[in-house]
Amino acid sequence: MVLGALEAGGTKMVCSIGNERAQVLDKQSFPTRAPEETVPQMIEYYRGKGIEALGIGSFGPLDLNKQSETYGYITSTPKTGWINYPLLPALSGALSVPAELDTDVNAAALAEVSMGAAKGLRSCLYVTVGTGIGGGLIVEGNLVHGLVHPEFGHMLMRAAAGDPAPDGFCPYHKGCLEGCASGPAIEKRWGKSAKELAPDHPAWTVECEYLAQMCVNAIVSFSPECIVLGGGVMQQEHLFPRIRKRTLELLGGYVRTPRIEREIDSYIVSPGLGVNSGVTGALLLALRAAQAK
Ligand code: ADP
Ligand code: ZN
């Protein structure tokens, strides 16, 4: 079965062709410019390749309510031109194939639970720490949408000791997770790109404090069986042991389960699919769309 996958990002649109085993066979990226320019390029890419369905993991916020008149639209994004853009109907209509849309992080969570670090589990939280911070959640085998969809990056944080800019940088909430711990927040706080900070820089103690607070909030709110941390900032592998240690400290022994008390090394982990969680998840969404046909 030939399936199309789209990883729709604020910087680039990554279009891929794959199969029902979520293997990627071809890939091409287009810079995210105005929809009038970029959407025809994507349609041109998929056209003639014989795809049976399209799966889309997208930046948001998105309207994912299938009963809504604006289902499949990007809603209130800061990316002008894409506000209220009918992403799913535009692509599905032009290509005449069924399509399934979810947030980029829900797609990644689906991939990790199906064939990555959380394989075989019924729940998983996938968090990307990059230009922004977002979280995708699977609980009891289902992708969580709820009222709109979770906005994990905007949970409020408690100021970290040693943070020279504890107010945070989110234009909406200042000191939310994204405002405190995204790549751009690190850069604003320390005046240096996250990539250039040495592992012993105090920046990382502050970063681990915020990410550990997020893990604690997630554990006590949703009780996921696995927390996968991806995105550019998590390329700093030295963060993992520190986040695990701080998470245990902040939990204070309250949540008693071997998975956390003894197996935290396999509980808070990097993506099993590496940088391919997004495309794999989009192919799995395409497969769902094909099967629902
Ligand atoms: P995006 O979120 O735009 O999809 P990324 O997940 O790559 O892309 O995140 C980009 C952010 O991650 C930037 O702020 C960058 O500074 C940071 N980043 C990328 N690579 C690294 C690295 N190796 N170490 C620390 N930070 C990084
Ligand atoms: Zn915020």
Side-chain angles (χ1 to χ4, degrees):
M1 191 186 286
V2 183
L3 299 168
L6 168 60
E7 297 165 84
T11 314
K12 59 184 196 277
M13 297 286 182
V14 185
C15 300
S16 307
I17 301 295
N19 62 23
E20 71 284 359
R21 280 177 288 158
Q23 292 165 319
V24 180
L25 307 170
D26 187 61
K27 189 176 273 201
Q28 194 173 341
S29 295
F30 305 97
T32 306
R33 301 212 178 94
E36 301 75 49
E37 184 179 348
T38 306
V39 172
Q41 291 176 323
M42 296 193 281
I43 292 168
E44 185 60 34
Y45 171 81
Y46 293 116
R47 202 166 259 160
K49 293 200 168 65
I51 62 170
E52 286 184 46
L54 178 67
I56 309 169
S58 179
F59 71 91
L62 305 169
D63 184 348
L64 297 175
N65 174 4
K66 291 191 175 171
Q67 314 311 324
S68 160
E69 275 181 20
T70 52
Y71 167 65
Y73 283 45
I74 293 172
T75 59
S76 60
T77 172
K79 270 204 91 67
T80 44
W82 293 89
I83 298 169
N84 295 326
Y85 186 77
L87 184 65
L88 174 112
L91 291 171
S92 173
L95 297 165
S96 305
V97 293
E100 183 79 23
L101 168 74
D102 216 315
T103 59
D104 44 8
V105 278
N106 258 0
L110 177 63
E112 288 295 323
V113 97
S114 305
M115 47 210 299
K119 189 175 171 189
L121 302 178
R122 300 271 299 152
S123 57
C124 168
L125 171 68
Y126 178 96
V127 177
T128 180
V129 188
T131 307
I133 299 186
L137 183 63
I138 295 199
V139 174
E140 284 159 19
N142 293 309
L143 286 162
V144 174
H145 300 117
L147 182 64
V148 182
H149 49 72
E151 287 284 2
F152 233 76
H154 298 276
M155 65 170 67
L156 303 183
M157 293 279 109
R158 186 160 81 184
D163 182 349
D167 285 350
F169 301 100
C170 174
Y172 299 92
H173 321 108
K174 289 180 167 262
C176 65
L177 177 61
E178 184 171 295
C180 291
S182 64
I186 298 172
E187 184 162 351
K188 282 190 192 123
R189 182 186 291 116
W190 302 101
K192 235 183 185 185
S193 147
K195 269 186 216 178
E196 294 164 34
L197 296 167
D200 62 355
H201 193 284
W204 298 121
T205 308
V206 169
E207 183 70 7
C208 289
E209 175 67 24
Y210 290 124
L211 293 176
Q213 283 186 33
M214 178 276 289
C215 289
V216 168
N217 292 345
I219 291 166
V220 298
S221 302
F222 313 114
S223 221
E225 291 163 291
C226 184
I227 299 178
V228 181
L229 302 180
V233 174
M234 296 313 300
Q235 302 279 327
Q236 301 281 331
E237 284 183 23
H238 58 92
L239 296 179
F240 280 92
R242 298 171 71 180
I243 293 166
R244 293 177 188 128
K245 179 165 177 279
R246 190 64 186 139
T247 298
L248 288 175
E249 285 168 8
L250 289 172
L251 275 171
Y254 186 72
V255 178
R256 309 297 295 269
T257 163
R259 191 91 182 97
I260 289 174
E261 293 178 289
R262 291 207 295 272
E263 298 166 17
I264 193 131
D265 289 353
S266 62
Y267 181 71
I268 298 174
V269 289
S270 52
L273 298 165
V275 296
N276 288 322
S277 312
V279 63
T280 306
L283 285 170
L284 293 171
L285 290 173
L287 185 60
R288 288 184 170 198
Q291 287 167 344
K293 206 165 36 169

